Structure formats: structure tokens, C-alpha cells
């Protein structure tokens, strides 16, 4: 089972890192069922990668539910209607739903249902080719805030210290108005942000993170 690691900013302060286990296959599900309570902080159920009849099992961990479009890193080409159906069928077991920012409009009913159930909504943005400009990053943060996201997650490719710096700048107090919003950062590439803000993370963890 692969993992990814994020660093959280909450109420204008860096808080603890969060380790998320990825369940995207039956083998990963078997591995997740064997985890001890302190192995990870939560599990991510990638429903679009799993057999259709498989349901989110009870767990001591909170579940993050996601159904990604093929262009957003999903393994299958799914219509918006099909993704909505998959989200709806798994929603009762979720503590979080992770929806790509670009998909907020087509999946508006899922977001409304999540809010009705008091499930936290994660708006995510992925760019595995580069780290966007500071202006673009700021616009994404503002857009996620305007959409009412509870958490904003950015995953980018970092090829230089400058790329890492642009992501770290988003953590600076007062630079971007966030009010009640929380942010997470992920990155891949020769300069993963995890190596800068989490120097105690193991090489294996970083490799697993970068490969997923």
C-alpha cells in the first residue's frame, strides 16, 4: 500500500503532518486491514480504481473518499454522472470527500450532500509537470475559499528550491487570506516539499509518496 504525507496549516500555524494510506486495489485494502492503529492518520478510498461491488469497510481510521476523472489522475474514464453515482454510494462511510477543484461544479450535488452530512470537503489541485506561478497558486487558494472548501490540497511537481519556496510561501501568515480554510501541500519531483518541512520522514516514505 502506498502512502502520501501532507503538512497542515490550521489557524495560521503549521500543525502536525498527516500520513494518508491509499486504498486503490484489493491488495491495498488487505494491507489496510492489517494496519495498527498508529500506522497512519487516515485512509483514502480511491473508488474509481476499485471493483464496483466493493464497499468501504468499517475501520478505526477516518476515510477520505475520492473518485477522480481520468484527466485528474484516475485510472478509468468515468462520466460526471457515473462519478456522482459512485460518490453517492460510498458517502455514508466518509469523513472527508476529496474533489478536484475543477470538478466542483459537475459534482455540486455530492458536495451539497457531504455538507448536509457534515462531511468535510477537500478541494484539491494537481499539477505533476510543474509548480504554478505564485499568482496562479494564490488564485487557486482564493477559488477554493470562494467555493467553501474546508481543506485545500495542492500537489505539484517541484524541480528546484524555488518551486519548493513558492509552496512554502503559501504557509506564510497574512500573505493569503484564508479565514477558516485549512491547507495541505504535497509535491513530487527532485525537490519534494516533504524533505524540506519534514526532515525526519524516511526515504521509504518519500519514495512511496512520490510514486503514488
Amino acid at each position: 500500500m502506498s502512502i502520501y504525507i501532507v503538512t497542515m496549516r490550521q489557524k495560521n500555524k503549521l500543525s502536525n503532518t498527516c500520513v494518508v494510506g491509499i486504498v486503490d486495489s484489493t491488495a491495498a485494502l488487505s494491507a489496510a486491514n492489517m494496519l495498527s492503529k498508529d500506522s497512519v492518520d487516515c485512509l483514502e478510498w480511491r473508488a474509481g480504481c476499485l471493483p464496483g461491488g466493493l464497499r468501504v469497510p468499517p475501520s478505526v481510521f477516518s476515510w477520505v473518499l475520492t473518485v477522480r476523472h481520468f484527466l485528474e489522475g484516475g485510472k478509468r474514464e468515468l462520466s460526471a454522472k457515473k462519478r456522482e453515482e459512485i460518490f453517492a454510494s460510498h458517502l455514508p462511510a466518509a469523513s472527508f470527500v476529496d474533489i478536484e477543484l475543477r470538478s466542483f461544479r459537475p459534482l455540486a450535488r455530492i458536495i451539497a450532500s457531504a455538507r448536509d452530512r457534515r462531511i468535510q470537503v477537500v478541494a484539491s489541485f494537481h499539477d505533476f509537470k510543474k509548480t504554478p506561478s505564485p499568482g496562479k497558486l494564490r488564485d487557486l487558494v482564493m477559488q477554493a475559499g470562494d467555493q467553501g472548501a474546508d481543506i485545500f490540497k495542492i500537489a505539484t511537481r517541484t524541480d528546484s528550491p524555488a518551486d519548493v519556496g513558492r509552496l512554502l510561501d503559501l504557509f506564510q501568515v497574512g500573505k493569503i487570506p484564508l479565514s477558516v480554510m485549512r491547507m495541505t501541500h504535497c509535491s513530487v519531483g527532485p525537490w519534494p516539499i516533504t524533505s524540506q518541512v519534514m526532515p525526519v520522514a524516511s526515504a521509504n516514505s518519500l519514495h512511496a509518496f512520490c510514486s503514488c
Side-chain angles (χ1 to χ4, degrees):
M1 182 179 68
S2 297
I3 65 170
Y4 65 85
I5 304 170
V6 295
T7 300
M8 302 290 295
R9 186 186 107 160
Q10 187 173 10
K11 295 181 180 178
N12 293 329
K13 296 188 297 183
L14 291 182
S15 60
N16 293 335
T17 57
C18 180
V19 180
V20 183
I22 299 169
V23 177
D24 57 358
S25 66
T26 53
L29 177 58
S30 296
N33 288 333
M34 298 174 64
L35 291 174
S36 60
K37 191 173 182 179
D38 58 351
S39 298
V40 297
D41 295 295
C42 56
L43 295 171
E44 181 171 293
W45 185 266
R46 296 191 175 181
C49 303
L50 293 158
L54 205 58
R55 289 292 176 264
V56 181
S59 176
V60 297
F61 304 107
S62 297
W63 283 105
V64 180
L65 173 62
T66 187
V67 190
R68 299 213 179 281
H69 187 280
F70 183 73
L71 295 177
E72 299 167 355
K75 292 185 178 179
R76 291 187 289 164
E77 292 194 44
L78 301 170
S79 66
K81 182 178 179 181
K82 184 62 177 176
R83 292 169 65 207
E84 184 178 65
E85 291 174 357
I86 295 172
F87 262 118
S89 67
H90 294 289
L91 204 57
S95 297
F96 305 85
V97 290
D98 184 343
I99 298 175
E100 194 81 6
L101 192 54
R102 62 186 283 177
S103 291
F104 261 51
R105 182 170 294 177
L107 293 175
R109 285 190 292 188
I110 293 300
I111 293 170
S113 294
R115 288 172 176 154
D116 287 342
R117 293 173 178 268
R118 298 187 178 180
I119 296 170
Q120 293 200 70
V121 178
V122 181
S124 57
F125 170 81
H126 296 75
D127 189 333
F128 294 108
K129 293 183 179 180
K130 65 184 184 306
T131 295
S133 67
K136 173 66 173 178
L137 290 172
R138 184 183 185 281
D139 288 345
L140 289 167
V141 172
M142 299 303 295
Q143 185 180 348
D146 290 343
Q147 295 284 355
D150 298 298
I151 300 170
F152 183 39
K153 182 179 75 179
I154 301 177
T156 72
R157 180 178 177 85
T158 51
D159 291 305
S160 69
D163 289 342
V164 175
R166 285 203 292 277
L167 292 179
L168 291 176
D169 279 347
L170 293 179
F171 283 131
Q172 300 304 309
V173 177
K175 264 206 160 183
I176 301 173
L178 293 175
S179 59
V180 298
M181 203 165 68
R182 291 178 292 174
M183 296 175 52
T184 64
H185 291 290
C186 313
S187 62
V188 296
W191 285 84
I193 195 170
T194 44
S195 67
Q196 303 297 313
V197 299
M198 290 175 287
V200 298
S202 69
N204 288 338
S205 295
L206 292 178
H207 176 73
F209 168 74
C210 292
S211 67
C212 63

